[in-house]
């Protein structure tokens, strides 16, 4: 059980004590006070901002234990450091809260244990209780604790009386609560005749043994003087303080597997001496008596052994072993009960089978009687059946003869049926052939229809192309006719120009004759006239025939009409 689990047990009692209505919820103001006190006793720096933020007044209603746990874990338990606080003060705070509500000693002062002893028993109860809520102590742990207390007082516990008491006491979830346990101790039933002081000493001794702390004398290293210190034993270290309040820690002895404990002889006025040897130093200590020295040496040796084995505490280890033994006993008990139940079932099964066997024997006897009666009846029936069979045999012979005659007729009918079947089969084959031919013809017809559709589609496509060509041809013809009209107009214009040119040529000829006659007289005019004629011919040829690439120039001396022949031939070819 780790430190967090130990603290949670005490805090659980404080929380339930604040739950006045037993509804599982506590008011926020009370939780604020409880948290503030926990900060104080656990020596944790106060965080009022987180406290006010978590328990602000705008939240609805009181807080349950599940609602308080996140704050408790985050702001309190996660910050707790082992050895930084006095656990006894923490337990006293939680005991004060819960005892005020739940602990009810005898009002007349006849309680067996004092209030302080009840607190220590409450601490022992928390240490030995089960790790589940609500906290209970199983009967084995109750007996163990009472035996420890009785052993400390040198008395023997009456186990039978304890078993009777536990059998009569109502137990919730298989054990006693701490208040039932304290009531049982205060009843004096098991500590009858013992003084309160002796009981208090026994409780103190058991408490110190389980908590593992107490006063010892320690010899200093430098000054070599003896000082009384409060020692606290843990599996990993033996710490010592100025007093049992553990406010001022003076030092710590680290325990490991290399440490050892030795008993020393009495010297320097000190008795019951022993020492703890570590790898670096030897610590000398003195106990108050031989028994206390033996307890301390044994406890320190056990702590060293547990440290070497990786365990936490002797009493925690013993508690875990007792728990495992209880679980093993319960398992064996459950197995034994299961075996007993199985044997009982087998016995019942055996008795049931014996009863069934008796019933079977009785049924067998009745079956034999019925079998004899059945045999006699069967014999009678056999005789009657034999007579009946003889009669039926004669009738069968007669029926056989009639059946043979019918068989002959049936065979003839069967032969006719076979012939008919052959004919039908032949007809079926012919029908199948005709059907196949029809199917083939239909397939051919489908193929022809497909080809015809394809040809029609091609023909339609070609027709569209032809119509398109026809439209293009008509457009071309219209265009050609327009060009022809234009050319005809040009021909007419050119013919007019030609006629005018011919007239001018005639005039030139006339002039030429006139000039020839007057050549001797006016040579200068003749040359001028010839030059004009040549120039006119060149201009006419240029107008009638545009000069193209590669065209040869027409000889002027060829006459005026020589330039018109190629032009007329090209016009005729374009018109064609």
């Amino acid at each position: 059980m780790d430190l967090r689990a130990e603290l949670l047990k005490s805090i659980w009692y404080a929380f339930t004590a604040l739950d006045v209505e037993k509804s599982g919820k506590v008011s926020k103001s009370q939780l604020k006070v409880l948290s503030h006190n926990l900060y104080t006793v656990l020596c944790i720096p106060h965080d009022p901002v987180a406290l006010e933020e978590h328990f602000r007044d705008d939240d609805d209603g009181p807080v349950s234990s599940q609602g308080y746990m996140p704050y408790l874990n985050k702001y309190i338990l996660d910050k707790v450091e082992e050895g930084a606080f006095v656990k006894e003060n923490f337990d006293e705070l939680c005991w004060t809260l819960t005892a005020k509500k739940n602990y009810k000693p005898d009002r007349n002062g006849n309680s067996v244990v004092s209030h302080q002893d009840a607190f220590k028993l409450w601490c022992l109860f928390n240490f030995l209780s089960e790790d589940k809520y609500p906290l209970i102590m199983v009967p084995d742990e109750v007996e163990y604790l009472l035996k420890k207390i009785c052993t400390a007082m040198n008395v023997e516990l009456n186990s039978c009386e304890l078993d009777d008491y536990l059998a009569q006491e109502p137990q919730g979830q298989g054990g006693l609560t701490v208040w039932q346990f304290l009531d049982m101790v205060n009843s004096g039933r098991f500590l009858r005749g013992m003084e309160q002081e002796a009981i208090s000493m026994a409780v103190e001794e058991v408490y110190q043994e389980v908590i593992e702390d107490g006063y010892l004398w320690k010899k200093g290293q430098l000054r070599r003087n003896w000082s009384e210190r409060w020692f606290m034993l843990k599996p990993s270290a033996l710490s010592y303080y100025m007093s049992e309040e553990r406010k001022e820690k003076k030092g710590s002895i680290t325990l490991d597997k290399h440490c050892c404990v030795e008993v020393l002889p009495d010297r320097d006025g000190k008795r019951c001496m022993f020492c703890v040897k570590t790898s670096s130093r030897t610590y000398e200590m003195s106990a108050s008596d031989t028994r206390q020295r033996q307890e301390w040496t044994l406890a320190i040796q056990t702590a060293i052994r547990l440290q070497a084995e990786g365990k936490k505490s002797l009493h925690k280890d013993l508690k875990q072993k007792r728990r495992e033994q209880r679980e093993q006993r319960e398992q064996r008990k459950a197995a034994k009960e299961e075996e007993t139940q199985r044997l009982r079932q087998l016995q019942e099964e055996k008795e049931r089978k014996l009863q069934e066997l008796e019933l079977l024997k009785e049924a067998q006897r009745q079956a034999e009687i019925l079998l004899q009666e059945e045999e006699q009846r069967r014999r009678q029936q056999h005789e009657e059946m034999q007579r009946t069979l003889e009669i039926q045999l004669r009738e069968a012979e007669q029926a056989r003869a009639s059946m043979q005659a019918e068989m002959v007729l049936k065979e003839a009918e069967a032969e006719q049926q076979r012939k008919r079947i052959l004919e039908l089969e032949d007809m079926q084959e012919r029908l199948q052939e005709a059907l196949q031919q029809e199917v083939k013809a239909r397939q051919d017809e489908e193929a022809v229809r497909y080809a015809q559709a394809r040809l029609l589609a091609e023909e339609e496509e070609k027709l569209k192309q032809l119509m398109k060509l026809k439209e293009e041809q008509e457009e071309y013809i219209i265009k050609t006719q327009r060009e022809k009209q234009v050319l005809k107009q040009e021909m007419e214009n050119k013919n007019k120009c030609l006629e005018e040119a011919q007239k001018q040529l005639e005039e030139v000829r006339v002039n030429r004759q006139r000039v020839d006659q007057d050549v001797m007289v006016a040579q200068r005019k003749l040359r001028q006239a010839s030059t004009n004629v040549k120039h006119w011919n060149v201009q006419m040829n240029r107008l009638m025939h545009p000069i193209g690439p590669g065209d040869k120039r027409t000889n002027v001396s060829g006459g005026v009409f020589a330039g018109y022949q190629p032009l007329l031939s090209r016009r005729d070819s374009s018109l064609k």
Side-chain angles (χ1 to χ4, degrees):
M1 182 172 60
D2 57 358
L3 180 62
R4 179 185 290 260
E6 293 180 8
L7 298 178
L8 277 176
K9 286 185 176 181
S10 300
I11 295 173
W12 178 79
Y13 279 109
F15 186 89
T16 53
L18 297 176
D19 182 14
V20 180
E21 298 179 357
K22 295 182 179 181
S23 60
K25 296 182 178 181
V26 178
S27 64
K28 296 168 194 171
S29 59
Q30 290 177 318
L31 288 179
K32 288 181 183 179
V33 176
L34 174 62
S35 302
H36 190 275
N37 291 329
L38 291 177
Y39 275 121
T40 303
V41 297
L42 293 175
C43 300
I44 300 172
H46 289 258
D47 192 354
V49 176
L51 186 66
E52 294 296 332
E53 178 67 20
H54 192 82
F55 297 108
R56 57 180 181 269
D57 294 334
D58 57 352
D59 290 341
D60 297 332
V63 181
S64 64
S65 59
Q66 290 81 6
Y68 183 57
M69 281 303 296
Y71 173 81
L72 183 65
N73 287 322
K74 182 176 179 181
Y75 294 101
I76 299 179
L77 297 181
D78 289 346
K79 298 179 180 180
V80 173
E81 296 181 2
E82 188 171 2
F85 66 98
V86 181
K87 187 174 183 303
E88 189 173 353
N89 296 339
F90 168 78
D91 290 335
E92 284 183 355
L93 170 66
C94 298
W95 163 255
T96 303
L97 291 174
T98 187
K100 190 180 298 184
K101 176 183 177 183
N102 299 300
Y103 182 54
K104 300 175 181 178
D106 192 349
R107 297 181 179 179
N108 298 326
N110 297 326
S111 299
V112 175
V113 295
S114 63
H115 190 80
Q116 185 66 21
D117 294 336
F119 162 67
K120 294 177 181 178
L121 289 174
W122 178 77
C123 294
L124 293 172
F125 180 93
N126 289 344
F127 182 82
L128 297 175
S129 63
E130 297 298 304
D131 298 332
K132 56 184 179 180
Y133 297 89
L135 295 175
I136 60 167
M137 186 190 294
V138 296
D140 291 343
E141 296 296 327
V142 174
E143 184 178 1
Y144 169 78
L145 181 56
L146 291 178
K147 280 184 178 179
K148 294 284 290 184
I149 296 174
C150 292
T151 303
M153 295 186 297
N154 295 323
V155 297
E156 185 178 356
L157 178 66
N158 190 345
S159 301
C160 296
E161 189 174 359
L162 176 63
D163 294 338
D164 294 339
Y165 179 85
L166 294 176
Q168 296 173 2
E169 187 72 17
Q171 300 179 16
Q173 299 183 357
L176 295 178
T177 63
V178 65
W179 314 117
Q180 291 175 330
F181 174 72
L182 292 176
D183 290 342
M184 180 183 68
V185 175
N186 278 325
S187 66
R189 186 171 180 177
F190 305 103
L191 303 176
R192 191 177 296 110
M194 303 302 297
E195 295 292 335
Q196 186 176 12
E197 184 177 356
I199 296 173
S200 179
M201 292 176 62
V203 171
E204 176 68 20
E205 182 177 346
V206 175
Y207 178 78
Q208 297 297 338
E209 178 185 352
V210 174
I211 304 302
E212 298 171 342
D213 56 3
Y215 278 109
L216 288 174
W217 287 89
K218 175 185 170 297
K219 187 175 184 180
Q221 182 181 8
L222 299 177
R223 298 174 62 184
R224 310 302 292 174
N225 61 331
W226 291 88
S227 303
E228 189 178 25
R229 297 285 183 258
W230 178 268
F231 281 81
M232 180 176 178
L233 179 61
K234 294 294 180 183
S236 59
L238 179 63
S239 305
Y240 50 94
Y241 303 82
M242 284 292 294
S243 64
E244 58 182 310
E245 284 79 13
R246 290 180 290 182
K247 294 182 179 180
E248 184 180 355
K249 184 176 181 180
K250 302 300 292 182
S252 178
I253 303 172
T254 303
L255 302 178
D256 54 27
K257 61 182 180 180
H258 303 293
C259 299
C260 65
V261 182
E262 294 182 1
V263 178
L264 300 177
D266 298 343
R267 67 173 184 270
D268 299 335
K270 291 294 180 182
R271 52 190 298 271
C272 303
M273 294 177 60
F274 65 97
C275 67
V276 178
K277 291 184 177 181
T278 65
S279 57
S280 60
R281 181 183 168 187
T282 300
Y283 297 86
E284 295 183 4
M285 285 163 277
S286 173
S288 59
D289 53 25
T290 306
R291 179 180 176 183
Q292 189 181 18
R293 179 179 66 179
Q294 182 180 0
E295 290 176 355
W296 272 105
T297 55
L298 181 61
I300 295 173
Q301 289 173 352
T302 304
I304 294 172
R305 178 178 58 81
L306 293 175
Q307 177 67 16
E309 294 176 357
K311 297 180 181 178
K312 295 294 184 182
S313 172
L314 173 62
H315 293 284
K316 293 176 183 177
D317 186 38
L318 294 175
K319 176 187 173 184
Q320 184 63 28
K321 288 182 178 179
R322 291 195 302 272
R323 181 177 296 176
E324 293 175 356
Q325 290 175 359
R326 285 198 306 272
E327 292 175 354
Q328 292 175 359
R329 285 200 305 271
E330 291 176 358
Q331 291 176 358
R332 288 196 297 270
K333 183 178 179 181
K336 186 176 180 181
E337 291 178 355
E338 185 179 355
E339 184 68 20
T340 304
Q341 184 69 18
R342 190 173 63 84
L343 290 175
R344 189 181 297 109
Q345 292 177 356
L346 290 175
Q347 184 67 23
E348 293 175 355
E349 184 70 18
K350 183 178 178 181
E351 293 177 356
R352 185 175 60 79
K353 287 185 177 180
L354 287 175
Q355 293 176 359
E356 291 179 355
L357 184 60
E358 291 294 333
L359 293 174
L360 288 174
K361 288 181 179 179
E362 182 66 25
Q364 186 178 6
R365 288 194 296 270
Q366 294 179 0
E368 289 177 355
I369 296 171
L370 293 174
L371 185 61
Q372 292 175 0
E373 294 177 355
E374 183 69 20
E375 184 67 24
Q376 185 177 1
R377 185 174 59 80
R378 191 183 298 113
R379 191 179 296 110
Q380 294 175 357
Q381 289 179 355
H382 181 68
E383 292 176 355
E384 293 177 358
M385 188 178 296
Q386 188 174 4
R387 291 192 295 270
T388 305
L389 288 174
E390 290 177 354
I391 296 171
Q392 290 178 355
L393 183 60
R394 290 193 295 271
E395 293 176 355
E397 290 293 335
Q398 295 175 359
R400 181 182 178 185
S402 62
M403 287 293 290
Q404 287 179 350
E406 290 180 0
M407 286 292 292
V408 172
L409 295 175
K410 294 293 184 182
E411 287 179 358
E413 290 179 358
E415 186 65 26
Q416 293 177 359
Q417 291 292 335
R418 282 196 293 273
K419 292 180 180 179
R420 180 62 178 169
I421 288 170
L422 292 174
E423 292 176 357
L424 291 174
E425 288 178 353
D426 187 18
M427 185 180 295
Q428 184 179 5
E429 290 178 358
R430 290 198 299 272
L431 287 174
Q432 288 180 351
E433 291 177 358
L435 182 60
Q436 291 177 357
Q437 291 176 1
E438 184 179 358
V439 169
K440 185 177 180 182
R442 287 183 180 277
Q443 292 177 352
D444 294 341
E445 183 181 358
E446 290 293 332
V448 170
R449 286 182 179 177
Y450 177 75
Q452 186 178 5
R454 183 170 54 82
L455 291 174
L456 287 174
E458 293 178 356
E459 184 178 356
E460 185 177 357
E461 184 67 24
K462 289 181 178 180
L463 183 58
K464 289 180 180 179
Q465 294 178 359
L466 183 60
M467 293 297 293
K468 185 176 181 181
L469 290 173
K470 186 176 180 181
E471 291 176 356
E472 292 177 355
Q473 186 177 8
E474 290 178 353
E475 292 177 356
Y476 184 74
I477 289 170
I478 293 170
K479 184 178 180 181
T480 305
Q481 288 177 356
R482 290 176 181 175
E483 291 179 354
K484 187 176 179 180
Q485 290 178 358
V486 172
L487 291 174
K488 187 177 180 181
Q489 186 68 28
E490 289 179 356
M491 282 292 294
E492 291 178 353
N493 294 332
K494 289 180 180 181
N495 287 330
K496 289 179 180 180
C497 292
L498 182 60
E499 291 176 356
E500 291 178 358
Q502 286 178 355
K503 290 179 179 179
Q504 292 176 0
L505 184 58
E506 289 295 332
E507 291 178 356
V508 170
R509 284 178 181 176
V510 172
N511 292 330
R512 184 180 179 184
Q513 290 176 3
R514 191 184 303 119
V515 170
D516 285 342
Q517 292 176 3
D518 200 16
V519 69
M520 294 302 292
V521 179
Q523 189 177 1
R524 184 178 178 181
K525 291 182 181 181
L526 181 60
R527 285 196 302 268
Q528 184 68 32
S530 296
T531 303
N532 290 334
V533 171
K534 289 179 182 180
H535 178 70
W536 181 252
N537 288 333
V538 171
Q539 291 296 328
M540 287 296 293
N541 288 332
R542 187 177 297 172
L543 291 173
M544 299 301 293
H545 176 61
I547 299 173
D551 290 344
K552 293 181 179 182
R553 298 184 64 179
T554 308
N555 192 1
V556 180
S557 62
V560 178
F561 296 99
Y564 289 95
Q565 296 301 325
L567 180 61
L568 293 174
S569 62
R570 283 195 299 271
R571 293 293 183 182
D572 294 338
S573 61
S574 63
L575 290 174
K576 291 179 181 180

